[in-house]
Amino acid sequence: EENLPIKINTIHGEKGETHTATLYLETFYKRKYDSQHIKQQLYGSTFKSENKPEQDMAEKLAYVAMSRAQYLLCVAISTKRISEKYAKETLKPLGWEIITLTK
């Protein structure tokens, strides 16, 4: 019923902005999905540079994207890369709320 403005943009286009809510939608870039680059950070590990440019860039972009939300952050990752069982057993205890969407 309310007219809520929804803006769709890239991480680069939103750098420095804050939002009420952010959807971080997994993408494929340079032979890997985002979730494959940032999996350890989702589990609570700190960023550790491994001198791999794609890894470093993916982690930095994820940080920028995920630090924009004021109230709600939604991370959309395919269950092909993080299983529902693993997410519930590993991520849920860390405070993530797991919601599985089906067709």
Side-chain angles (χ1 to χ4, degrees), residues 2 4 18 24 32 35 41 64 75 78 81 94 99 102:
E2 294 183 32
L4 297 174
T18 57
Y24 181 81
K32 278 192 169 183
S35 61
Q41 284 68 44
V64 169
V75 180
S78 173
R81 281 168 290 289
L94 295 172
I99 300 170
T102 57

Side-chain angles (χ1 to χ4, degrees), residues 6-15 17 19 22-25 27 65:
I6 296 174
K7 184 176 181 182
I8 298 173
N9 204 349
T10 65
I11 296 169
H12 294 293
E14 293 299 307
K15 189 174 182 179
E17 301 292 325
H19 309 100
T22 298
L23 168 61
Y24 181 81
L25 184 61
T27 58

Side-chain angles (χ1 to χ4, degrees), residues 2-103:
E2 294 183 32
N3 186 14
L4 297 174
I6 296 174
K7 184 176 181 182
I8 298 173
N9 204 349
T10 65
I11 296 169
H12 294 293
E14 293 299 307
K15 189 174 182 179
E17 301 292 325
T18 57
H19 309 100
T20 302
T22 298
L23 168 61
Y24 181 81
L25 184 61
E26 175 182 51
T27 58
F28 184 83
Y29 180 71
K30 292 201 176 190
R31 298 172 289 175
K32 278 192 169 183
Y33 286 91
D34 295 333
S35 61
Q36 294 168 302
H37 288 294
I38 64 168
K39 199 171 191 178
Q40 294 307 311
Q41 284 68 44
L42 294 175
Y43 300 148
S45 297
T46 58
F47 168 76
K48 295 177 187 172
S49 180
E50 299 177 7
N51 293 322
K52 296 179 182 176
E54 290 99 15
Q55 179 77 21
D56 289 350
M57 182 58 73
E59 290 175 350
K60 288 175 185 175
L61 287 172
Y63 173 79
V64 169
M66 293 182 192
S67 63
R68 303 296 107 199
Q70 293 177 315
Y71 300 102
L72 175 68
L73 170 64
C74 177
V75 180
I77 299 174
S78 173
T79 55
K80 291 178 183 175
R81 281 168 290 289
I82 296 180
S83 72
E84 184 178 356
K85 179 183 177 196
Y86 194 70
K88 286 184 178 179
E89 291 176 359
T90 306
L91 295 176
K92 194 166 185 162
L94 295 172
W96 289 94
E97 182 177 344
I98 310 300
I99 300 170
T100 304
L101 302 176
T102 57
K103 292 181 180 181

